[in-house]
Amino acid sequence: MVMDYSSDLEQYWIRGFCHGINSQASSSPTTCFAALIQQPIRSGPDVDTWSRPGSSSTHTPLSGSQVQSECLDMSGNKKQKTDIQRSTNVVYQSHSVSRSKRGQVVGTREGFRGCTVWLTGLSGAGKTTVGFALEEYLVSHGIPCYSLDGDNIRHGLNKDLGFSSAEREENIRRIAEVARLFADAGLICITSFISPFTKDRAEARKVHEGAGLPFFEVFLNAPLEVCEKRDVKGLYRKARAGEIKGFTGIDSKYESPEAPELELRTGDLTVNECILLVVNLLKEKGIIPPGLTEEVTELFVPQNKVNLVQSDGKTLPTIAITKLDLQWVQVLAEGWASPLKGFMREREYLQALHFCNLLDSGTINFSIPIVLPVAMETKESLTGSAAVALEYQGRRVAVLRNPEFFQHRKEERCARQWGTTCTKHPYIKMVMESGDWLVGGDLEVLERIKWNDGLDQYRLTPQELRKKFKEMKADAVFAFQLRNPVHNGHTLLMTDTRRKLEERGYRRPVLLLHPLGGWTKDDDVPLDWRMKQHAAVLEDGVLDPNSTIVAIFPSPMMYAGPTEVQWHCRARMMAGVHFYIVGRDPAGMLHPESGQDLYDPTHGAKVLSMAPGLTSVEIIPFRVAAYNKSKKAMDFYDKERHAEFEFISGTKMRSLARSGQSPPDGFMAPKAWKVLTEYYTSIQKEQ
């Protein structure tokens, strides 16, 4: 007879405070429950029976080798107890989400979201992988949840159970009750258990429905042969050899769900595809808000309306825009700045300038103003217009609907965005020389922005990059932005990141090498030469061309340090990036007057790790690399072996390239260095 032990768990929890369980937990429900399930449940109070406090009913211990030992019963008295033989062939699975990270986001989104997502399927179907990945995804988006894994539970709460039919039934019954408590606390509880029997899953559903809590059965449907091939624990092999009896799928039946809320064919789908399907289910059921995911908002006119908008545009008054303005039009049109629908209106501008966030649809990290400056004369002539056309070099490229004009307070903007108003800063100089008014509005871009410089094929939109990642079956995408040539210190960091991702269980991590392609200051290496140099790095095999995408990020460079680096990171989120490598002094430069660092070189990484609205991407901090003279290669710097290292500055690198000399062996791929020397030689010839 299966009994309801929910009151026993409650009694156990109360006793836990006296016996020290709660001493290692905070008041957070997630942490408290986590402490509970890691503790072994006692099966006393006497040798042969398990009595509910205050009840005359008893429960005979389940089968297994019995070991006598002393324990405390619910009243704190010493009793003899019977331990069931400890479970074997189980491996503890580490969470991808840390307790500190989970604690930061519990309760940050309003609304009760308590429910249970019950993942069921054969061993090897992907329950643990999908469960932990889903947990990581939801927590990263501010949704409190916790993943209960079958092996982990058998290390704590259910360590007294074996694998007989009765013990499996009891295993699932306990989990259903614990999941109900998690859901009742307002968390999305993800359970990853084979749960092979229909009756047990039905009982788990009944427990939730009786408490008024949503329950979603998700069937991970993978053929037995696929599961056996994935057999990372070697369990199928042992079962086939007769070493494990009653193994589901071999000599114990798995009863497939007849009407699950969702079926995931994990033999055909990637982990990310599975996550999105579950997330969509939770959206449809009203568990999570519709704006949870980073949806790309492209601003191109639909193909069937282009002629109409073009005809309309010919009748509209115009604003002549600069090359810099057109680069921002491209950024907006391709969706890098989603959810913006055009150049910022005053409300959006103030939110970005003062809070580094857009606040009208939740908290969306947006650290830089994307604005269109205009002169006073333009503002006066266009005030009251319902729409204006944006014109670049005599060609109308976009229509701005319902324009809103507001004052361009340049000094205040520069002080807040850059932390300085020094007009020798190259981008600040352009701001100070721009119009005294800003105009915002909804943007309709007539066609794809092309520069006809031989590099347009590298200018992939966020949607195109997402498609490429999917075609490559990427289960993790990590991005590295740069505005300088790639040396082997950079490649060391990128290859080390790939190695760490693979160690974490990712099978097909893809690198997005994403050089900035908009405006840069005059002394930076031009984009066309940087792209040649990057191609040479791949050709030399320093980076794997089969798992690397080189594309151009169209944004101009503002050299605004930690403020700007948030923009760089968030824009890559729109392309589907999961991990972002942040370097030393990202988006920084030397102060144009003092010659000192304008920003602390370490602040970019620190700010990114704390910035609101960037939780769906994991920040990979830069590790200092230097030339190891002993290894004759770039290596991570170790201050204990300082004498072995040489720091080759950008100034020294440029000096060597200009003079046609070679750097130390192992500093840069030979073909890539050759491109760099050709660039500096061409400059000298021009001069």
Side-chain angles (χ1 to χ4, degrees):
M1 174 180 176
V2 178
M3 301 172 60
D4 182 358
Y5 293 167
S6 57
S7 61
D8 299 330
L9 287 174
E10 292 161 6
Q11 289 290 327
Y12 179 80
W13 177 241
I14 293 169
R15 289 290 170 187
F17 282 92
C18 301
H19 291 290
I21 293 173
N22 196 54
S23 65
Q24 51 187 303
S26 70
S27 58
S28 162
T30 308
T31 312
C32 293
F33 284 139
L36 169 62
I37 65 172
Q38 298 302 326
Q39 297 294 327
I41 191 90
R42 299 299 188 186
S43 53
D46 53 41
V47 177
D48 298 318
T49 59
W50 201 102
S51 301
R52 295 180 61 183
S55 170
S56 60
S57 61
T58 60
H59 175 67
T60 302
L62 298 167
S63 61
S65 300
Q66 299 181 343
V67 180
Q68 301 290 335
S69 63
E70 280 191 339
C71 71
L72 297 178
D73 68 5
M74 292 297 177
S75 302
N77 301 317
K78 284 188 176 182
K79 294 286 183 179
Q80 292 293 316
K81 66 175 284 286
T82 300
D83 280 342
I84 302 300
Q85 181 178 352
R86 298 296 186 245
S87 301
T88 57
N89 298 311
V90 293
V91 179
Y92 191 86
Q93 306 293 325
S94 298
H95 284 252
S96 299
V97 178
S98 66
R99 287 183 177 178
S100 61
K101 186 173 183 181
R102 183 177 292 106
Q104 290 171 5
V105 300
V106 169
T108 59
R109 289 179 180 267
E110 295 181 2
F112 181 80
R113 311 191 190 284
C115 69
T116 290
V117 178
W118 192 280
L119 304 182
T120 177
L122 293 171
S123 177
K127 299 180 299 301
T128 295
T129 301
V130 172
F132 282 161
L134 178 62
E135 177 191 34
E136 185 174 16
Y137 182 93
L138 292 174
V139 168
S140 295
H141 286 79
I143 301 295
C145 68
Y146 195 85
S147 181
L148 299 174
D149 179 72
D151 278 9
N152 289 2
I153 293 297
R154 285 183 177 272
H155 278 79
L157 178 64
N158 292 351
K159 69 188 299 182
D160 60 324
L161 298 179
F163 291 93
S164 68
S165 294
E167 287 169 306
R168 285 184 170 186
E169 181 179 328
E170 172 64 6
N171 182 53
I172 298 306
R173 189 202 63 77
R174 291 183 190 177
I175 296 312
E177 292 291 349
V178 173
R180 177 184 66 80
L181 295 175
F182 272 84
D184 192 46
L187 281 73
I188 295 178
C189 184
I190 306 160
T191 66
S192 302
F193 293 81
I194 295 174
S195 45
F197 305 129
T198 301
K199 178 174 68 71
D200 295 343
R201 298 194 300 268
E203 286 295 324
R205 183 186 294 274
K206 184 177 178 181
V207 164
H208 285 75
E209 291 177 348
L213 294 166
F215 180 92
F216 306 110
E217 186 177 40
V218 179
F219 176 30
L220 277 68
N221 188 356
L224 179 60
E225 56 271 20
V226 171
C227 295
E228 289 201 60
K229 287 180 181 177
R230 294 174 176 169
D231 192 15
V232 293
K233 302 175 187 176
L235 302 183
Y236 282 102
R237 177 178 52 77
K238 292 180 180 179
R240 293 286 188 191
E243 298 175 25
I244 301 176
K245 301 296 184 182
F247 191 80
T248 303
I250 303 300
D251 55 355
S252 180
K253 185 179 179 181
Y254 176 81
E255 299 173 358
S256 299
E258 294 182 0
E261 276 74 12
L262 181 64
E263 181 176 337
L264 301 175
R265 295 188 174 274
T266 56
D268 303 320
L269 299 171
T270 66
V271 174
N272 289 336
E273 288 170 336
C274 290
I275 291 171
L276 292 178
L277 288 171
V278 178
V279 168
N280 288 336
L281 170 68
L282 296 176
K283 281 184 183 178
E284 292 171 5
K285 301 299 183 180
I287 301 297
I288 60 179
L292 178 71
T293 54
E294 290 79 34
E295 298 176 2
V296 178
T297 305
E298 290 190 346
L299 304 181
F300 296 111
V301 176
Q303 195 61 40
N304 61 347
K305 295 183 179 179
V306 170
N307 292 336
L308 179 63
V309 177
Q310 282 179 333
S311 299
D312 185 29
K314 292 177 181 177
T315 67
L316 296 174
T318 62
I319 295 176
I321 63 174
T322 66
K323 183 177 181 180
L324 182 68
D325 297 330
L326 185 62
Q327 290 174 355
W328 285 119
V329 168
Q330 182 176 7
V331 167
L332 290 163
E334 294 180 355
W336 296 102
S338 300
L340 288 184
K341 296 181 179 179
F343 284 105
M344 286 180 170
R345 299 177 184 275
E346 186 177 37
R347 181 177 177 83
E348 295 165 322
Y349 171 74
L350 291 175
Q351 290 176 3
L353 193 65
H354 290 267
F355 307 115
C356 288
N357 282 273
L358 300 178
L359 303 174
D360 292 336
S361 299
T363 301
I364 299 173
N365 188 283
F366 218 105
S367 60
I368 58 150
I370 298 182
V371 292
L372 180 60
V374 295
M376 169 71 80
E377 297 79 10
T378 303
K379 181 258 182 186
E380 290 179 344
S381 66
L382 296 178
T383 297
S385 298
V388 296
L390 303 186
E391 187 177 85
Y392 177 69
Q393 295 183 347
R395 181 170 59 91
R396 300 189 180 200
V397 296
V399 172
L400 195 68
R401 303 283 183 189
N402 303 314
E404 174 188 338
F405 294 90
F406 53 100
Q407 194 171 4
H408 190 188
R409 301 183 63 84
K410 303 174 190 177
E411 188 172 14
E412 179 190 3
R413 175 188 171 187
C414 294
R416 291 189 178 277
Q417 186 173 347
W418 283 274
T420 179
T421 57
C422 178
T423 55
K424 292 182 181 179
H425 184 292
Y427 204 102
I428 291 176
K429 181 175 184 293
M430 293 192 294
V431 170
M432 291 300 190
E433 293 173 353
S434 67
D436 293 331
W437 290 83
L438 298 174
V439 57
D442 295 346
L443 198 61
E444 297 176 0
V445 181
L446 296 172
E447 60 183 4
R448 186 83 170 259
I449 306 298
K450 294 188 179 294
W451 299 96
N452 300 315
D453 55 358
L455 299 175
D456 284 327
Q457 72 270 24
Y458 293 105
R459 294 184 172 94
L460 302 178
T461 68
Q463 294 281 34
E464 289 170 339
L465 283 168
R466 287 178 180 234
K467 184 179 178 182
K468 273 193 168 291
F469 299 147
K470 185 175 180 179
E471 290 170 352
M472 297 173 72
K473 299 187 182 301
D475 56 359
V477 179
F478 61 108
F480 187 67
Q481 177 194 280
L482 62 169
R483 69 175 197 268
N484 292 308
V486 175
H487 58 64
N488 286 353
H490 299 136
T491 59
L492 174 65
L493 183 59
M494 288 182 268
T495 53
D496 185 63
T497 300
R498 180 187 300 282
R499 178 186 60 79
K500 289 180 178 177
L501 291 175
E502 289 172 345
E503 288 177 352
R504 287 170 59 172
Y506 294 100
R507 297 183 179 181
R508 286 184 288 272
V510 169
L511 166 65
L512 173 61
L513 188 61
H514 214 200
L516 185 137
W519 174 89
T520 56
K521 54 189 176 70
D522 292 341
D523 59 348
D524 281 348
V525 177
L527 177 63
D528 56 343
W529 283 98
R530 282 185 280 133
M531 291 301 289
K532 290 178 186 177
Q533 198 264 355
H534 300 343
V537 168
L538 290 174
E539 189 178 343
D540 269 340
V542 180
L543 294 173
D544 178 15
N546 295 320
S547 57
T548 302
I549 294 177
V550 180
I552 294 173
F553 177 46
S555 175
M557 188 75 193
M558 290 166 281
Y559 306 94
T563 298
E564 183 179 2
V565 77
Q566 295 175 69
W567 154 245
H568 291 166
C569 181
R570 190 187 181 279
R572 278 27 180 263
M573 283 169 51
M574 304 315 303
V577 168
H578 312 116
F579 302 89
Y580 185 77
I581 301 173
V582 57
R584 179 187 179 277
D585 195 22
M589 60 173 283
L590 298 180
H591 193 288
E593 291 182 339
S594 70
Q596 302 297 312
D597 287 324
L598 187 54
Y599 310 102
D600 185 300
T602 68
H603 282 184
K606 291 176 181 177
V607 167
L608 274 186
S609 68
M610 299 183 286
L614 297 179
T615 50
S616 66
V617 65
E618 184 174 326
I619 306 305
I620 308 294
F622 184 80
R623 292 178 63 189
V624 177
Y627 185 73
N628 188 314
K629 293 177 287 187
S630 301
K631 294 183 179 180
K632 294 187 177 180
M634 296 298 287
D635 193 10
F636 291 122
Y637 175 68
D638 182 356
K639 64 180 181 181
E640 301 296 329
R641 299 182 290 116
H642 176 76
E644 297 178 25
F645 291 91
E646 177 185 355
F647 287 89
I648 300 175
S649 66
T651 301
K652 182 174 181 179
M653 181 181 73
R654 287 188 289 272
S655 176
L656 290 171
R658 286 192 186 101
S659 63
Q661 299 180 61
S662 296
D665 291 342
F667 173 75
M668 185 181 291
K671 291 180 180 178
W673 180 258
K674 185 173 183 292
V675 171
L676 206 56
T677 57
E678 288 173 356
Y679 163 65
Y680 283 109
T681 300
S682 69
I683 289 181
Q684 290 176 327
K685 288 181 179 178
E686 290 174 6
Q687 292 174 343

